[in-house]
Amino acid sequence: MESVSIDSLILKLHDVNAVKFGEYKLKSGMLTPIYIDLRVLVSHPALMNQVSSLIYQRVQEEGLQFDSVCGVPYTALPLATIICSRHELPMLIRRKEAKDYGTKRLVEGSFREGDTCLIIEDTVTSGSSILETAEVLYNGGLKVTDAIVLMDREQGGVEMLASEGIKLHPIISMFKLLNVLLAAERIDAQTAQNVRKFILDNNTFSPKEENGNHVPATKKPCVEQNMELSYADRAKLPNVHPLASKLLKIMEEKQSNLCVSADVMSSEELFQLADSLGPNICVLKTHVDILKDYTGTFSQKLQALAEKHNFLIFEDRKFADIGNTVKHQYEGGLYQISSWSHIVNAHAVPGPGVVKGLSAVGKPLGRGCLLIAQMSSQGSLATGEYTKAVLKMAEEQANFVIGFICGSKISKRPEFIHMTPGVQMQAGG
């Protein structure tokens, strides 16, 4: 790739205000003296075509092997579209969340399980956006080994993605951009120095320490090890399930972790409860099979209320049969639970097949499952070795299991949700 073409591209990006200097807030919350805003490319088709050509040129130079291409939503989508259209490459589209109509899939397009997908991104800081897209593709049965990015801010994204098995191929580095703009007298030496210092002082990736035997070093005691992550921090973890991330964001926004059990037998009473409590809750738990007046419009009305008040629906179905049976119970029958409930739960007694059966239906829809690890009922057998087996099953199928129903915290992994039953509120003063 000729350096002259890169230099020219950098100057053109600066011309269209895609490179800004000042004080800007990044997705991570970090304040930065430089901001890369490649969304403006859509208004400059000639420049967008040049960027697309350079990305594809890099793909060829690296000899990358893949079956399809996916652009990280949203800025990289038009770049991926141009590349795939020009070179007749299969393209996939990752939705940020599943729709309640149509295919309801998080990954749109045609592919086979085991296919390799190349990710295209516009800018990388920590690499979290690429990893979020990769996780959705993984959950759909795809592999991700490589990603191409136009602009690498050189703040740890390459290293973080490498630690997750993804090789990042940047086209422009931050220091290269600064050198070109400084040589062209677009910025002064002080501005360049300030940005360089910021980049060096704000690396987002911390590699695991190793001793001389290539064994992870013993962690030094520090106060921070005992600090709990906030809901917002947990939502950003690279391996968190997309639905768990959504729930954690709702919890952060509402500063609440309240799940209300709507154990009523009238649809109208349930709707009134959802509408009045909706602004203050994160999850509404239902038992649809105890409703005496259930009709086909129930799910539509409940979904509308969930969207209006920003809460998730949890149908407390407690699936507990073999995989093929729970699959039909989940997607079919009178209630068609998978079409409207964000979360369901299951007993682990049948073994991993129960999760696999539910996952076959729910995973393409962006749904999630809670495994029942403990119960509040007197004489429950869900204790001891059973609870340990549930935890192991969840860790092995974390692409669909988002957490547990339990009376105590059973996992130290912050990606998992722990929901505690039996908490009651008394009316009155």
Side-chain angles (χ1 to χ4, degrees):
M1 189 180 295
E2 292 292 334
S3 61
V4 166
S5 64
I6 295 294
D7 293 2
S8 173
L9 176 63
I10 290 171
L11 295 177
K12 289 177 181 177
L13 290 174
H14 188 254
D15 288 338
V16 299
N17 210 26
V19 181
K20 310 171 192 280
F21 294 89
E23 187 176 275
Y24 300 90
K25 190 173 184 179
L26 297 176
K27 177 182 176 182
S28 62
M30 183 185 297
L31 291 177
T32 173
I34 183 170
Y35 186 60
I36 311 299
D37 182 14
L38 295 175
R39 287 168 293 191
V40 301
L41 287 178
V42 295
S43 299
H44 303 276
L47 187 53
M48 190 159 61
N49 283 332
Q50 185 178 353
V51 169
S52 302
S53 296
L54 286 172
I55 291 174
Y56 186 69
Q57 188 177 333
R58 186 60 185 272
V59 170
Q60 290 183 306
E61 289 174 355
E62 296 293 338
L64 302 182
Q65 300 296 315
F66 52 91
D67 301 295
S68 56
V69 175
C70 180
V72 175
Y74 292 101
T75 310
L77 277 175
L79 298 175
T81 302
I82 291 171
I83 292 167
C84 291
S85 178
R86 275 185 180 172
H87 304 284
E88 298 185 357
L89 301 172
M91 178 177 161
L92 302 177
I93 296 177
R94 172 215 157 187
R95 288 188 180 275
K96 288 209 168 182
E97 55 184 41
K99 300 294 184 184
D100 292 321
Y101 52 84
T103 63
K104 305 178 184 179
R105 298 168 63 181
L106 281 173
V107 181
E108 300 289 359
S110 301
F111 59 91
R112 296 169 299 182
E113 187 167 348
D115 279 356
T116 298
C117 185
L118 172 68
I119 292 178
I120 291 176
E121 176 63 304
D122 64 312
T123 308
V124 161
T125 302
S126 67
S128 61
S129 293
I130 286 178
L131 196 57
E132 287 170 7
T133 295
E135 290 287 348
V136 173
L137 296 173
Y138 293 151
N139 291 339
L142 291 150
K143 298 176 184 176
V144 177
T145 58
D146 298 271
I148 300 271
V149 64
L150 176 63
M151 172 61 66
D152 175 24
R153 289 179 59 100
E154 297 187 278
Q155 288 181 256
V158 171
E159 294 82 2
M160 189 281 281
L161 291 169
S163 73
E164 297 290 338
I166 300 173
K167 185 174 182 181
L168 183 65
H169 307 270
I171 293 174
I172 303 172
S173 69
M174 181 62 78
F175 281 20
K176 170 69 173 176
L177 179 138
L178 293 172
N179 290 339
V180 171
L181 293 178
L182 183 59
E185 299 183 344
R186 300 292 185 92
I187 58 174
D188 57 30
Q190 187 60 54
T191 299
Q193 181 59 30
N194 290 343
V195 175
R196 288 193 186 100
K197 185 178 186 304
F198 172 83
I199 297 299
L200 294 173
D201 290 346
N202 290 277
N203 192 295
T204 62
F205 179 70
S206 299
K208 295 179 181 178
E209 295 183 50
E210 294 185 346
N211 58 28
N213 297 320
H214 301 287
V215 176
T218 303
K219 292 183 178 178
K220 298 176 182 178
C222 69
V223 176
E224 290 183 350
Q225 287 181 0
N226 296 320
M227 292 177 64
E228 291 287 337
L229 292 173
S230 68
Y231 297 140
D233 289 337
R234 290 171 63 190
K236 296 174 186 175
L237 291 170
N239 294 319
V240 69
H241 188 284
L243 184 62
S245 178
K246 181 176 181 178
L247 175 55
L248 288 163
K249 289 174 183 176
I250 293 173
M251 291 160 68
E252 178 71 20
E253 179 184 323
K254 296 189 175 184
Q255 286 297 292
S256 168
N257 59 3
L258 187 59
C259 169
V260 168
S261 297
D263 297 335
V264 295
M265 291 182 284
S266 158
S267 296
E268 192 56 41
E269 188 177 355
L270 190 151
F271 295 146
Q272 291 175 1
L273 191 68
D275 202 19
S276 61
L277 297 180
N280 303 307
I281 65 174
C282 302
V283 178
L284 181 73
K285 184 166 73 72
T286 62
H287 282 114
V288 68
D289 53 359
I290 69 173
L291 295 175
K292 293 182 178 180
D293 55 354
Y294 175 85
T295 66
T297 62
F298 168 82
S299 62
Q300 297 172 9
K301 292 180 180 178
L302 186 57
Q303 286 177 92
L305 288 170
E307 186 172 342
K308 174 184 176 182
H309 297 302
N310 192 27
F311 62 78
L312 299 186
I313 305 167
F314 166 26
E315 169 56 26
D316 190 8
R317 176 62 175 77
K318 297 185 177 71
F319 291 99
D321 214 318
I322 61 173
N324 192 52
T325 300
V326 298
K327 178 180 177 183
H328 293 303
Q329 291 172 331
Y330 188 23
E331 70 178 343
L334 177 63
Y335 304 117
Q336 298 180 356
I337 296 168
S338 65
S339 70
W340 53 269
S341 181
H342 301 98
I343 305 169
V344 291
N345 56 357
H347 288 289
V349 174
V354 66
V355 178
K356 291 178 181 177
L358 294 171
S359 176
V361 175
K363 190 166 70 171
L365 302 178
R367 308 305 192 197
C369 177
L370 297 166
L371 288 181
I372 300 168
Q374 297 169 332
M375 296 185 72
S376 58
S377 54
Q378 187 174 1
S380 168
L381 302 179
T383 60
E385 293 302 314
Y386 177 84
T387 300
K388 291 180 182 178
V390 172
L391 175 57
K392 184 174 184 292
M393 189 184 298
E395 290 173 340
E396 291 173 348
Q397 303 196 61
N399 61 353
F400 185 62
V401 176
I402 67 170
F404 312 95
I405 303 293
C406 52
S408 61
K409 190 173 182 179
I410 67 170
S411 172
K412 293 182 179 179
R413 287 184 54 180
E415 295 91 345
F416 281 133
I417 304 293
H418 292 72
M419 296 192 71
T420 304
V423 178
Q424 299 180 355
M425 293 184 186
Q426 294 183 345

